Amino acid sequence: MSTEKIVLTPIGFVKTDAVGDEVRDRSRTSKIIVNSEFAEALDGISSYSHLFVLFWLNQIKDDERKTLKVHPRGKTDLPLSGVFAVRTMLRPNPIGLTIVEIVDVHSNVLTIRGLDAYDGTPVLDIKPYDPWDVVENPKVPSWWKRLKKEKRMS
Amino acid sequence: MSTEKIVLTPIGFVKTDAVGDEVRDRSRTSKIIVNSEFAEALDGISSYSHLFVLFWLNQIKDDERKTLKVHPRGKTDLPLSGVFAVRTMLRPNPIGLTIVEIVDVHSNVLTIRGLDAYDGTPVLDIKPYDPWDVVENPKVPSWWKRLKKEKRMS
């Protein structure tokens, strides 16, 4: 196995008015401003309804990348879990992954719904979502289902 | 926007007997050998049925990262499309993303079904798949549906 370091360069960045927890509101729209040199790489994207957005969690400090276990959403009543078993931002390689709905595409600007990333977040990649990405009834831990239920009721 | 480079380190690698096009066979199982220092980060992962695997497409040369458009699957009868509108390996940041089924978890070794990555591929991140990742009837281009149909019939 190669041990060489992997170097990435952002292909654009996120533009949003949402601050703090507002970014978690899935009904919100935000924008991805793709660097103009990559505008052509968006050709054909409006034939899809949904995208994967990979982004760099640039607020995570180097020290935090060493975290191995967390309580989901920081809730100490939920079981301490490995970072690969939770969608926490604290991970060895802090890459965010979110599925978003395409609202509009105009030149190098994508307007999307559901991206939980802060203003100025560097975007690493954009990939189309297709029917192979749909899992029927994925199994999740019981704490996940409890958390979703509570959220719906609050 | 920060223009600093982003540096990643593999958290493990892929182990498979599949060679060439065999890696595309979704019924095949393969393994992810997680570096032992991250073994704890897998705790709780067996409560899920499916995972996202992010991996580094280390066969892509620096020059190929400049590609902006491709014919899907290299088929010239399919429309030339931007690389962000296709799941091609040729992308500015060649990160692979595949949804896999968990078959077995044992210490730092994950046995999974459906990973289309070659033997020795560096793995960057593992994330659990949950019901928020399910899109009902995602829209895709007509060439995508044609390709899937042909595949089923061949």
Side-chain angles (χ1 to χ4, degrees):
Chain A
M1 178 197 152
S2 164
T3 54
E4 64 184 321
K5 293 233 183 295
I6 291 162
V7 180
L8 306 178
T9 317
I11 56 113
F13 62 94
V14 175
K15 200 168 155 51
T16 177
D17 295 329
V19 290
D21 277 353
E22 289 172 359
V23 300
R24 288 184 165 277
D25 178 349
R26 287 169 196 271
S27 65
R28 272 197 178 253
T29 60
S30 54
K31 289 183 195 299
I32 298 176
I33 317 294
V34 173
N35 295 357
S36 52
E37 61 185 292
F38 298 121
E40 253 191 274
L42 294 171
D43 278 13
I45 210 163
S46 56
S47 301
Y48 298 87
S49 58
H50 291 78
L51 301 173
F52 290 105
V53 181
L54 277 69
F55 49 102
W56 184 243
L57 298 160
N58 58 346
Q59 69 271 49
I60 301 303
K61 298 183 186 80
D62 280 356
D63 248 26
E64 293 175 306
R65 295 173 64 169
K66 293 174 189 153
T67 311
L68 293 178
K69 290 191 171 194
V70 294
H71 290 286
R73 299 282 169 94
K75 290 175 186 282
T76 50
D77 56 325
L78 298 183
L80 198 61
S81 309
V83 296
F84 296 145
V86 185
R87 297 283 274 267
T88 173
M89 295 193 289
L90 304 170
R91 5 193 15 96
N93 291 312
I95 298 173
L97 172 67
T98 302
I99 293 152
V100 302
E101 186 189 342
I102 302 180
V103 175
D104 183 59
V105 186
H106 194 77
S107 177
N108 65 324
V109 180
L110 289 176
T111 305
I112 51 179
R113 183 172 289 117
L115 183 62
D116 55 344
Y118 298 106
D119 191 51
T121 296
V123 174
L124 300 176
D125 200 6
I126 296 166
K127 294 179 193 290
Y129 185 105
D130 69 47
W132 285 115
D133 300 312
V134 178
V135 174
E136 304 290 345
N137 301 312
K139 195 179 90 174
V140 292
S142 52
W143 63 256
W144 196 97
K145 287 176 268 191
R146 208 163 69 232
L147 201 64
K148 195 181 174 208
K149 212 170 163 185
E150 283 168 17
K151 215 177 158 184
R152 192 179 283 160
M153 292 194 298
S154 67
Chain B
M1 178 196 152
S2 163
T3 53
E4 64 184 320
K5 293 233 184 295
I6 291 161
V7 180
L8 306 178
T9 317
I11 56 114
F13 63 95
V14 175
K15 201 167 153 52
T16 177
D17 295 330
V19 290
D21 276 354
E22 288 172 359
V23 299
R24 289 185 165 277
D25 178 349
R26 288 169 195 273
S27 66
R28 271 196 178 254
T29 60
S30 54
K31 290 183 195 299
I32 297 175
I33 317 295
V34 173
N35 295 356
S36 52
E37 62 184 292
F38 298 121
E40 253 191 273
L42 294 171
D43 277 14
I45 210 163
S46 56
S47 300
Y48 299 86
S49 56
H50 291 77
L51 301 173
F52 289 105
V53 181
L54 276 69
F55 50 102
W56 184 242
L57 298 161
N58 59 346
Q59 69 271 52
I60 301 302
K61 298 183 186 80
D62 280 356
D63 247 27
E64 293 175 306
R65 294 173 66 169
K66 292 175 189 154
T67 311
L68 294 178
K69 290 191 172 194
V70 293
H71 290 286
R73 300 282 171 93
K75 290 175 186 280
T76 50
D77 56 325
L78 299 182
L80 198 61
S81 309
V83 295
F84 297 145
V86 185
R87 296 284 273 268
T88 173
M89 295 193 289
L90 304 170
R91 0 190 24 93
N93 291 311
I95 298 173
L97 171 68
T98 302
I99 293 152
V100 302
E101 186 189 343
I102 303 180
V103 175
D104 183 59
V105 186
H106 194 77
S107 178
N108 65 323
V109 180
L110 290 175
T111 305
I112 52 180
R113 184 173 289 117
L115 184 60
D116 54 345
Y118 298 107
D119 191 51
T121 296
V123 174
L124 300 176
D125 199 7
I126 296 165
K127 295 178 192 291
Y129 186 104
D130 70 46
W132 286 116
D133 301 313
V134 179
V135 173
E136 304 290 344
N137 300 313
K139 196 180 90 176
V140 291
S142 51
W143 63 255
W144 196 98
K145 286 176 269 190
R146 208 164 68 232
L147 202 64
K148 195 180 173 207
K149 213 170 162 185
E150 283 167 17
K151 214 176 159 184
R152 193 179 285 160
M153 293 193 298
S154 68

